Amino acid sequence: MPGHSAHKYFAYLSVAVALYFLNQKLNFDLFNIKTIILILAITFLYALLPDIDTPASKARRYFELGSSLAVIYFIYSKDYMFAVGLMIANLFLMFTKHRGFFHSFIATLLIPLPLVYFGKFFYIIGFLAYSSHLLLDKMFTGKGKLKI
């Protein structure tokens, strides 16, 4: 299977190509620095996210570190609901299997949903990056060989 770098770069390429064609039709304001930073961050995060169900993956390690820091912050801020939610999410990950829910079509639709908060455009970016990961996994065998 492709590594995290292959997933990341394939997602950047997929999103760039899609943005080129979408921009032809919809004329987005892509040259705003805030938009560019959000596109890069969302692409990076969502390209690695499907492997969050693998304990040794970079996505899992980033999530565990980030959620641990966030739990400390939320407890300090007395926002216990978010702290408990993150702890439950970490427990949930302990019971997931690789290539299970996070590698499904329904996850491709649901996982990027929080991005709608920033706008439908960012949901599309998250969807494309997440989908690119699954597509790349489908293209290669477990030994890293291209399926023909």
Side-chain angles (χ1 to χ4, degrees):
M1 286 292 139
H4 74 280
S5 291
H7 284 298
K8 183 175 54 177
Y9 295 126
F10 186 67
Y12 284 134
L13 177 65
S14 300
V15 167
V17 169
L19 286 177
Y20 174 79
F21 288 109
L22 284 172
N23 195 38
Q24 299 293 317
K25 297 284 183 195
L26 304 174
N27 200 17
F28 293 121
D29 179 19
L30 296 177
F31 296 105
N32 172 335
I33 191 67
K34 180 182 167 189
T35 303
I36 292 170
I37 290 170
L38 273 172
I39 289 169
L40 292 173
I42 290 167
T43 302
F44 174 79
L45 176 66
Y46 281 81
L48 300 181
L49 206 53
D51 283 338
I52 199 169
D53 55 8
T54 305
S57 72
K58 289 202 184 272
R60 178 74 161 267
R61 287 183 282 179
Y62 293 151
F63 179 77
E64 288 172 347
L65 175 63
S67 64
S68 298
L69 294 173
V71 164
I72 292 167
Y73 169 78
F74 288 133
I75 290 172
Y76 178 77
S77 302
K78 298 185 182 353
D79 200 344
Y80 302 114
M81 189 171 85
F82 284 112
V84 169
L86 281 172
M87 287 188 264
I88 290 170
N90 273 303
L91 285 173
F92 172 73
L93 286 176
M94 292 173 62
F95 298 104
T96 58
K97 65 178 186 129
H98 189 53
R99 306 236 186 279
F101 171 74
F102 290 100
H103 279 75
S104 69
F105 181 70
I106 192 78
T108 305
L109 296 172
L110 293 177
I111 302 287
L113 270 178
L115 296 174
V116 172
Y117 174 81
F118 299 105
K120 292 176 188 171
F121 170 76
F122 294 107
Y123 173 84
I124 293 168
I125 300 300
F127 175 82
L128 290 170
Y130 201 97
S131 299
S132 74
H133 180 109
L134 302 184
L135 177 63
L136 201 58
D137 277 357
K138 292 281 186 208
M139 291 169 53
F140 287 87
T141 66
K143 297 177 182 169
K145 303 245 188 241
L146 186 61
K147 291 180 184 176
I148 298 177

